[in-house]
Amino acid sequence: MPQHIRIREVLLMEPPKPSLTIKGWVRSFRNDQFIAVNDGSCHENLQVVIDPQQYDPALLKRITTGAAIAAQGELVASIGRGQKLELKAQHIDILGDCPAETYPLQPKKHSLEFLREHAHLRMRTQTFGAVFRIRHSLAYAIHHFFHQKGFIYLHTPILTANDAEGAGELFQVTTLDLKQLPRTENGEIDYSQDFFGRKANLTVSGQLEGELGAMALGLIYTFGPTFRAENSNTTRHLAEFWMIEPEMAFYDLHDNMNLAEEFIKYIIQYVLDHHPTDLEWLANRLQEEESKKPQTERSGMNLLEKLHFVIAHPFERITYTEAFEILKNSPYNKKKKFQFPVERWGMDFQSEHERYLVEKHFQKPVIITDYPKEIKAFYMRQNDDGKTVRAMDILFPGIGEIVGGSQREERYDRLLHRMQELHISPNELYWYLDSRKFGGCPHSGFGLGFERMVQFVTGMTNIRDVIPFPRTPKNISF
């Protein structure tokens, strides 16, 4: 059989085409005559029309949902409704059988919960095909955005000895025999006998190493997997997730905010330009899901309106103190509708507070700056008031925080003092301090949680549905 053509390319052709070959998986087979075939290259199926009289009945029985086939024939204009083109097949080959009685994905609607139980097959559905094509394009757009701005893509380590966030929720990595752990004289585990000669873990962030790159290359970004051993089963948390973390020499907080806003709008626009059909399918799915909720819990905008709205409006920029006053004096707080009351300056805002600011008060994305230093990381530049740091978080509707960043503390003495206050060993991070000691300069950076961005763009409400193989507590299948 000749070289096959992907369905995405076939659908762009002008009929008639006398002979071409497609390969894909059967979505449905109607009346022993019409086969809907999809090969994953696009959302749309190609209709393959056969004359059942020309085929062995035994072969027709093998054309079941999920079966892999090759079809060769003439591409013609369709006289039926629902498609412009169809393939009049002269020859059909079965490349892979799919027994209908045991195949979990029947030609009907399946719940997302059911599909999570069959995550090894769910990418074959229209919804997850759309999600993962969009995920791919978002990743491509991210690389393209930074490349055209002169950033260097830096590969930071996955195995590391530092805890960049200081949260302590680390996956430990070891080659020691867990049945016979070596011990020191005082009974502690002797990590000097481990592979690296010290305790090691999977990274929670590439930021600290990224800053070293920025101090040499000016503009860098990382884009890789990060890991957090947080025992959380919410719709917003994963144990393995991907982060985009640019670091920029000579950028202050305002430069940082400007870049982050431009970046987010660019990648959303890219998906709008390249995936109209996938987005329309996901928007309709979300609208159907929203219609089942009580009126008070429904989103005011559909998915496409929300994406266009983010692009069209400048992000609101306020300080933590301004946000605190808005929340404290809000009707929600006064009527005790918040699960976590807003009473004390210095508290860490919860997702419900962030979403109130975005969805109720400003009705647009919000950037909050100048957070209390006690709730932020040690590396953030301290303001002159002695209470706040030059942090910035970007908040999105339906998500809450989607970006966290800051101007970094470039002053050696101030950074060292802050590390000592938080009992972070200067000896362990001597190399990080050296970046301030030897030619340090003002610099900034931020981190974007990739899965949260995919969630926002696709409208999926559970973060486990935007990564191919989710890793969560008690779940490392597939």
Side-chain angles (χ1 to χ4, degrees):
M1 191 171 279
Q3 178 70 35
H4 76 281
I5 301 173
R6 300 206 76 192
I7 288 174
R8 181 178 64 178
E9 298 171 36
V10 172
L11 294 175
L12 296 175
M13 293 179 175
E14 291 293 331
K17 297 288 181 183
S19 180
L20 57 82
T21 299
I22 62 100
K23 297 179 181 180
W25 295 273
V26 175
R27 281 271 167 84
S28 65
F29 185 26
R30 295 183 293 112
N31 305 326
D32 283 347
Q33 186 176 7
F34 303 104
I35 312 170
V37 182
N38 189 282
D39 65 0
S41 63
C42 61
H43 180 78
E44 296 87 349
N45 303 324
L46 178 66
Q47 179 163 282
V48 176
V49 183
I50 65 171
D51 179 354
Q53 303 301 319
Q54 295 181 359
Y55 293 91
D56 185 340
L59 183 139
L60 296 181
K61 288 182 179 179
R62 294 171 64 194
I63 303 175
T64 58
T65 298
I69 69 168
Q72 184 266 326
E74 181 185 6
L75 187 70
V76 298
S78 177
I79 59 174
R81 291 188 303 171
Q83 63 279 324
K84 295 180 181 179
L85 309 169
E86 59 189 23
L87 187 72
K88 291 182 66 175
Q90 281 96 44
H91 187 74
I92 297 284
D93 275 342
I94 308 296
L95 305 179
D97 289 290
C98 188
E101 61 274 10
T102 56
Y103 185 50
L105 304 183
Q106 296 302 309
K108 64 176 185 178
K109 184 176 179 180
H110 296 288
S111 71
L112 296 178
E113 291 78 9
F114 174 85
L115 293 173
R116 280 182 217 122
E117 294 172 5
H118 298 83
H120 58 306
L121 299 172
R122 66 179 181 167
M123 282 181 275
R124 302 182 183 194
T125 66
Q126 286 181 292
T127 293
F128 283 95
V131 167
F132 292 121
R133 280 189 293 271
I134 288 172
R135 182 183 171 107
H136 157 77
S137 282
L138 279 171
Y140 175 83
I142 287 163
H143 286 298
H144 189 264
F145 175 84
F146 286 119
H147 177 74
Q148 69 181 8
K149 284 191 166 292
F151 279 67
I152 302 297
Y153 178 30
L154 194 70
H155 294 123
T156 53
I158 291 173
L159 295 171
T160 180
N162 72 72
D163 177 5
E165 299 297 322
E169 296 158 342
L170 306 172
F171 284 103
Q172 190 175 336
V173 176
T174 182
T175 59
L176 294 175
D177 183 351
L178 301 184
K179 295 179 181 178
Q180 293 181 317
L181 290 171
R183 300 282 179 177
T184 62
E185 290 182 359
N186 62 5
E188 300 290 331
I189 297 173
D190 185 2
Y191 287 105
S192 68
Q193 297 187 42
D194 207 346
F195 186 89
F196 293 107
R198 60 184 298 187
K199 195 172 182 179
N201 49 265
L202 298 177
T203 187
V204 297
S205 170
Q207 178 201 312
L208 302 190
E209 293 89 351
E211 287 186 53
L212 304 186
M215 291 299 97
L217 302 169
L219 302 174
I220 70 94
Y221 73 104
T222 75
F223 186 0
T226 52
F227 309 86
R228 190 157 296 171
E230 183 178 358
N231 190 15
S232 177
N233 273 299
T234 76
T235 58
R236 302 173 66 243
H237 291 90
L238 292 166
E240 176 185 294
F241 52 99
W242 287 65
M243 288 288 292
I244 301 99
E245 297 176 294
E247 293 291 331
M248 297 79 66
F250 312 113
Y251 271 48
D252 65 15
L253 184 65
H254 297 286
D255 299 324
N256 203 23
M257 289 190 286
N258 291 341
L259 180 75
E261 182 171 344
E262 181 187 0
F263 166 61
I264 287 172
K265 290 182 175 181
Y266 177 90
I267 62 176
I268 292 175
Q269 185 65 60
Y270 186 91
V271 173
L272 284 167
D273 291 342
H274 291 84
H275 290 275
T277 308
D278 285 327
L279 285 172
E280 184 180 358
W281 171 269
L282 292 170
N284 291 336
R285 185 206 67 81
L286 183 60
Q287 190 169 8
E288 183 180 339
E289 195 175 275
E290 288 277 309
S291 68
K292 299 174 184 176
K293 296 180 180 178
Q295 188 71 36
T296 54
E297 295 180 18
R298 295 179 189 175
S299 173
M301 291 184 281
N302 69 34
L303 178 61
L304 292 171
E305 288 172 339
K306 189 167 60 173
L307 296 178
H308 284 292
F309 186 81
V310 167
I311 292 171
H313 292 82
F315 295 1
E316 190 72 29
R317 301 183 183 190
I318 59 173
T319 66
Y320 170 92
T321 300
E322 291 169 334
F324 173 77
E325 291 299 328
I326 290 169
L327 291 167
K328 182 181 178 182
N329 297 314
S330 69
Y332 265 54
N333 196 52
K334 290 180 176 178
K335 294 178 182 178
K336 302 187 184 305
K337 289 186 177 181
F338 286 135
Q339 181 182 351
F340 299 92
V342 180
E343 298 171 341
R344 178 185 57 83
W345 187 96
M347 65 177 290
D348 204 354
F349 294 150
Q350 302 298 314
S351 178
E352 61 176 341
H353 306 138
E354 295 168 342
R355 292 184 61 179
Y356 176 86
L357 291 168
V358 172
E359 298 167 24
K360 304 294 184 184
H361 189 81
F362 289 109
Q363 297 184 327
K364 65 171 74 172
V366 175
I367 307 179
I368 301 181
T369 64
D370 301 294
Y371 279 80
K373 71 176 185 179
E374 302 306 329
I375 59 173
K376 288 296 181 181
F378 74 94
Y379 49 72
M380 297 187 177
R381 195 180 200 278
Q382 298 170 56
N383 286 322
D384 294 338
D385 61 14
K387 298 189 303 180
T388 61
V389 291
R390 306 217 78 194
M392 68 119 185
D393 286 353
I394 300 181
L395 315 180
F396 261 32
I399 300 286
E401 181 194 335
I402 196 167
V403 165
S406 72
Q407 185 172 333
R408 314 311 192 191
E409 181 57 83
E410 84 280 8
R411 296 165 296 186
Y412 178 89
D413 293 343
R414 299 291 290 271
L415 179 60
L416 177 61
H417 180 68
R418 186 66 180 142
M419 289 171 67
Q420 291 169 337
E421 281 184 341
L422 297 175
H423 306 292
I424 297 171
S425 171
N427 293 331
E428 292 285 326
L429 290 178
Y430 75 91
W431 48 272
Y432 188 69
L433 286 164
D434 275 359
S435 66
R436 275 66 174 172
K437 187 188 297 183
F438 304 124
C441 68
H443 61 289
S444 299
F446 61 84
L448 169 70
F450 186 50
E451 280 73 28
R452 289 192 181 180
M453 176 54 72
V454 181
Q455 260 193 284
F456 180 76
V457 174
T458 61
M460 303 301 282
T461 54
N462 192 319
I463 200 166
R464 302 176 192 202
D465 295 331
V466 297
I467 191 168
F469 306 103
R471 298 294 183 246
T472 54
K474 304 295 188 290
N475 176 29
I476 195 168
S477 301
F478 319 121

